[in-house]
Amino acid sequence: MKTLTKAEEQIMQKLWDLKRAHVKDIIAELPRPKPAYNTVSTIIRILEKKGFVGHRTEGKTYEYYPLITKKAYRKAFFSHFFKNYFSNSYRSFTSFFAKDQDLSLEELEEMQRIIQEEIEKKNNL
């Protein structure tokens, strides 16, 4: 799966939230300063070429919708990120979050709880 630029990802985030939208609807959801209509329209067309977005014609306008779910993109993005920044090492990844991110005791306990739940699920298979 192709990765998104920062601008493309910003547009996709809004489109995932909206589910279906016209360019003006996406612009309305973006923070100030608002990008130009043509800028957002161009980014949407790029996203279509990349296979992330589809459209439905409504008279002279298009209604856009995501072709890939946020969950699917997140999984692909994270796999790429994990491979490139942590060499596919869960030890490096865990160490990064536990030590380098200065997590609170509560956050570490929450991570431990989530991991323990997953261990129990796997043990019960």
Side-chain angles (χ1 to χ4, degrees):
M1 176 182 302
K2 295 178 181 178
T3 57
L4 300 174
T5 67
K6 187 175 180 178
E8 291 166 350
E9 187 173 343
Q10 184 181 34
I11 300 300
M12 280 305 299
Q13 292 289 350
K14 297 306 175 190
L15 197 52
W16 282 319
D17 290 344
L18 295 168
K19 313 249 187 304
R20 294 185 163 275
H22 298 90
V23 171
K24 65 179 177 60
D25 302 323
I26 295 169
I27 293 169
E29 295 295 315
L30 294 171
R32 293 190 182 274
K34 304 280 186 186
Y37 184 96
N38 288 343
T39 302
V40 175
S41 181
T42 298
I43 293 170
I44 289 280
R45 285 194 307 277
I46 292 167
L47 288 166
E48 276 193 289
K49 287 179 185 171
K50 286 184 169 184
F52 284 88
V53 172
H55 76 268
R56 184 172 67 97
T57 304
E58 291 183 339
K60 294 181 180 182
T61 65
Y62 292 141
E63 180 185 58
Y64 296 97
Y65 54 90
L67 292 175
I68 185 164
T69 64
K70 187 175 187 175
K71 183 177 180 178
Y73 180 73
R74 180 177 52 218
K75 184 176 181 178
F77 174 85
F78 189 75
S79 292
H80 175 76
F81 177 81
F82 185 69
K83 178 182 174 188
N84 287 339
Y85 291 93
F86 296 99
S87 303
N88 281 333
S89 167
Y90 287 97
R91 178 179 279 282
S92 294
F93 177 74
T94 304
S95 176
F96 172 77
F97 276 98
K99 296 177 183 174
D100 297 344
Q101 292 301 300
D102 195 31
L103 298 176
S104 69
L105 178 60
E106 292 80 20
E107 291 167 323
L108 289 167
E109 288 172 340
E110 178 67 9
M111 285 177 65
Q112 183 180 25
R113 184 189 62 74
I114 292 167
I115 291 169
Q116 188 59 44
E117 286 175 4
E118 290 302 313
I119 290 170
E120 290 172 8
K121 285 180 191 175
K122 297 218 184 259
N123 282 335
N124 291 328
L125 291 178

